[in-house]
């Protein structure tokens, strides 16, 4: 999707701010001799920014507005290496809330709803983003934060919560718990807003059916405000995103060249109005595509397809490039298994091997099921994994993100 005149103007404003602040990315632009972009072609010559650049700017090198205008910082979880610190001005915080409120509206949520927020509050952007959007919309926030499932369910019943915000893993855990306790008729939930991890259709159907709710995927990343920069609407597949705040391009992750609308590639985001830490051509490593057709809901906001995975999720097994989403797709063809699975990749006798663990019930022949799944993976993707079926509930569930792909090849030394 080509950048518009208006968006180019906004980018130029951001370039000016970055260069004059002499912040980390401003210096980079100045060193490259860039002070403005005149055309869409010029824009494509701007250098990409990467997570590594943001880490190098630790702690406050990204700060582009004067100190007295910065009202808050957030930080990416940083499970590996130096965390990234993103400064926000009051306008950034407000813009983010506006985007988030728009997400709720797209999901059909109104100021009469009661929104139970289970993502964590603190340094990272999850809980507080859901909260600010809820308040902006005028709905009632029930700011629970993660964990304490007993208390969550107690509040959900007492306050007649209508919307649950959670990671998909935690939504599943809640759904299973509610079913186990046989209290679904006491629950008034209508919608779920699910963020922060990729999830399979199977898992989605399971949560949706067990809780009897509509589900919405919210998109976002700490580096670019946080969750709330896009959400799916009630009509079709894909997520609308807010092109008055961000510009999205899809590139070939190998060459860095833009791909035509409709083709899959890596999502690259430019913030158009952010003050605290503007980012230009930020590589997210998330894989998706622009859906070129207009949405039947009538919204003019452009659409991204569901996130297919991450460029760094790609595995190479026996010379075949594999994404976890492809394995998920195959597993989705087997109604007798649960939505949980685990993939382990290891090095055995000089070769890469993949083991897939799936869950099923005692009335299914485990050996026969494993054999059928292995054959399906072979015919659809091109290599034969080792498949092992286990009892339902054996694979780990988590309140945050569930690690479904474990690569043991890098832990050998
Ligand atoms: Zn739509």
């Amino acid at each position: 999707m080509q950048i518009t005149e208006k968006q180019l103007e906004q980018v130029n404003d951001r370039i000016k701010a970055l260069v004059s602040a002499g912040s980390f990315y401003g210096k980079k632009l100045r060193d490259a001799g860039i002070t403005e972009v005149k055309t869409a072609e010029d824009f494509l010559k701007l250098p990409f920014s990467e997570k590594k650049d943001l880490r190098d700017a630790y702690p406050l090198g990204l700060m582009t507005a004067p100190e007295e205008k910065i009202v808050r910082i957030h930080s990416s979880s940083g499970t590996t290496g130096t965390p990234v610190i993103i400064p926000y001005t009051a306008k950034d915080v407000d813009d983010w809330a506006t985007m988030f409120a728009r997400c709720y509206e797209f999901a059909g949520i109104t100021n009469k709803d009661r929104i139970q927020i289970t993502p964590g509050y603190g340094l990272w952007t999850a809980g507080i983003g859901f909260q600010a959007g809820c308040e902006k919309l005028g709905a009632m926030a029930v700011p629970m934060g993660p964990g304490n499932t007993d208390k969550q369910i107690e509040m959900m019943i007492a306050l007649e919560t209508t919307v649950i915000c959670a990671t998909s893993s935690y939504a599943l855990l809640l759904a299973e718990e509610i079913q186990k306790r046989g209290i679904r008729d006491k629950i008034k939930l209508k919608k779920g807003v699910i963020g922060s991890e990729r999830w399979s259709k199977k898992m989605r159907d399971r949560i949706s059916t067990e809780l009897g709710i509509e589900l919405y995927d919210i998109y976002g990343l700490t580096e670019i405000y946080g969750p709330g920069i896009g959400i799916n609407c009630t009509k079709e597949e894909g997520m609308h995103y807010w092109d008055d705040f961000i510009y999205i391009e899809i590139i070939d992750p190998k060459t860095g060249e833009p791909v035509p609308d409709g083709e899959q590639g890596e999502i690259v985001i430019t913030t158009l109005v952010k003050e605290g830490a503007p980012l230009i051509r930020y590589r997210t490593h998330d894989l998706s595509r622009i859906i070129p057709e207009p949405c039947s809901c009538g919204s003019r906001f452009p659409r991204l397809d569901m996130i297919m995975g991450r460029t760094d999720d790609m595995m190479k097994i026996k010379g075949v490039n594999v994404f976890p989403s492809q394995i998920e797709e195959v597993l989705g063809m087997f109604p007798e298994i649960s939505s949980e699975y685990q993939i382990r990749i290891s090095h055995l006798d000089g070769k890469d091997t993949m083991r897939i663990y799936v869950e099923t019930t005692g009335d299914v022949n485990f050996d026969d099921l494993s054999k059928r799944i292995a054959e399906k993976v072979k015919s659809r993707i091109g290599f034969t994994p080792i498949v092992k079926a286990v009892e339902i509930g054996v694979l780990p569930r988590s309140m945050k993100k569930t690690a479904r792909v474990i690569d043991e090849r890098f832990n050998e030394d």
Side-chain angles (χ1 to χ4, degrees):
M1 195 156 286
Q2 188 166 307
I3 192 160
T4 64
E5 284 296 317
K6 169 95 194 288
Q7 288 171 327
L8 267 181
E9 254 172 55
Q10 291 171 316
V11 169
N12 278 323
D13 278 351
R14 293 307 86 210
I15 291 176
K16 256 183 231 133
L18 283 161
V19 172
S20 74
S23 56
F24 181 86
Y25 199 65
K27 281 194 200 114
K28 232 176 128 174
L29 290 169
R30 198 167 52 202
D31 292 347
I34 296 161
T35 51
E36 68 170 334
V37 284
K38 291 203 173 71
T39 62
E41 290 72 45
D42 281 354
F43 178 80
L44 295 177
K45 289 181 196 134
L46 288 172
F48 291 116
S49 43
E50 285 271 7
K51 186 116 176 185
K52 185 193 168 297
D53 302 331
L54 308 195
R55 287 207 174 105
D56 290 346
Y58 182 85
L60 282 171
L62 296 174
M63 195 160 80
T64 299
E67 168 91 45
E68 59 271 27
K69 290 192 80 181
I70 301 297
V71 299
R72 188 199 284 177
I73 61 110
H74 281 292
S75 170
S76 62
S77 41
T79 42
T80 51
T82 315
V84 169
I85 305 271
I86 306 287
Y88 294 66
T89 64
K91 179 180 186 295
D92 295 338
V93 167
D94 191 59
D95 283 351
W96 181 22
T98 299
M99 284 189 272
F100 216 122
R102 199 187 277 169
C103 288
Y104 284 135
E105 280 167 358
F106 263 66
I109 297 164
T110 72
N111 57 10
K112 294 229 172 75
D113 278 297
R114 297 177 180 179
I115 305 180
Q116 188 156 335
I117 300 164
T118 73
Y121 287 74
L123 267 182
W124 65 317
T125 50
I128 202 164
F130 283 93
Q131 170 101 15
C134 172
E135 290 173 357
K136 180 73 110 184
L137 181 70
M140 185 201 290
V142 185
M144 297 296 294
N148 201 345
T149 302
D150 284 341
K151 186 85 184 163
Q152 299 275 6
I153 293 176
E154 192 188 308
M155 294 292 266
M156 200 178 280
I157 294 172
L159 290 170
E160 304 187 344
T161 305
T162 54
V163 178
I164 181 84
C165 301
T167 61
S168 53
S169 307
Y170 194 53
L172 178 65
L173 191 145
L174 277 173
E176 288 181 336
E177 200 54 41
I178 287 165
Q179 193 212 29
K180 209 190 295 170
R181 297 183 190 189
I183 48 172
R184 198 180 128 183
D185 57 336
K186 292 197 180 128
I187 302 288
K188 299 280 188 294
L189 287 180
K190 289 184 298 192
K191 291 164 199 276
V193 179
I194 307 296
S196 86
E197 55 182 348
R198 200 174 48 76
W199 48 323
S200 65
K201 187 174 176 305
K202 194 158 194 161
M203 187 162 170
R204 184 189 187 85
D205 291 347
R206 177 118 186 269
I207 297 168
S208 166
T209 313
E210 287 197 356
L211 290 177
I213 60 176
E214 281 171 21
L215 293 174
Y216 295 86
D217 293 273
I218 200 150
Y219 181 57
L221 49 161
T222 301
E223 296 86 335
I224 316 280
Y225 297 97
I229 60 176
I231 194 166
N232 58 302
C233 67
T234 47
K235 288 293 172 192
E236 282 176 51
E237 300 275 300
M239 304 181 281
H240 290 281
Y241 64 89
W242 319 131
D243 64 349
D244 44 352
F245 292 94
I246 53 167
Y247 173 66
I248 287 188
E249 10 168 13
I250 306 289
I251 62 162
D252 178 327
K254 291 215 175 65
T255 65
E257 292 298 317
V259 302
D261 287 350
E263 269 180 38
Q264 189 160 315
E266 179 180 340
I267 301 173
V268 173
I269 304 180
T270 298
T271 64
L272 297 171
V273 290
K274 207 162 187 242
E275 298 178 334
L279 286 181
I280 293 190
R281 304 196 83 200
Y282 181 68
R283 294 187 64 160
T284 65
H285 293 277
D286 286 333
L287 293 166
S288 183
R289 64 185 194 103
I290 301 248
I291 303 176
E293 301 80 28
C295 184
S296 63
C297 77
S299 166
R300 66 150 201 93
F301 286 107
R303 279 185 302 162
L304 277 176
D305 209 338
M306 294 297 148
I307 307 299
M308 294 298 296
R310 291 184 52 78
T311 54
D312 29 54
D313 279 346
M314 197 171 81
M315 305 170 276
K316 199 164 188 160
I317 307 292
K318 297 177 186 172
V320 181
N321 287 335
V322 189
F323 284 101
S325 54
Q326 288 174 288
I327 302 285
E328 250 169 31
E329 212 179 303
V330 171
L331 298 180
M333 297 168 182
F334 294 85
E336 59 272 51
I337 61 179
S338 82
S339 58
E340 294 305 293
Y341 64 88
Q342 198 175 85
I343 297 171
R344 287 179 173 262
I345 305 154
S346 56
H347 212 64
L348 183 69
D349 302 330
K351 281 181 195 150
D352 290 338
T353 57
M354 180 187 286
R355 281 122 62 215
I356 304 173
Y357 294 88
V358 296
E359 291 183 339
T360 191
T361 50
D363 52 10
V364 172
N365 181 325
F366 280 29
D367 290 339
D368 172 65
L369 172 69
S370 301
K371 196 165 151 254
R372 284 186 291 124
I373 293 174
E375 282 168 4
K376 195 61 126 185
V377 171
K378 169 75 179 161
S379 72
R380 305 275 299 201
I381 310 175
F383 71 95
T384 308
I386 300 159
V387 181
K388 200 163 169 55
V390 298
E391 297 290 340
I392 285 190
V394 166
L395 293 176
R397 265 86 169 148
S398 116
M399 302 212 180
K400 288 187 186 169
K401 298 183 185 186
T402 305
R404 296 202 172 79
V405 181
I406 298 157
D407 194 333
E408 297 167 346
R409 291 172 302 176
F410 304 119
N411 301 328
E412 283 174 346
D413 48 17

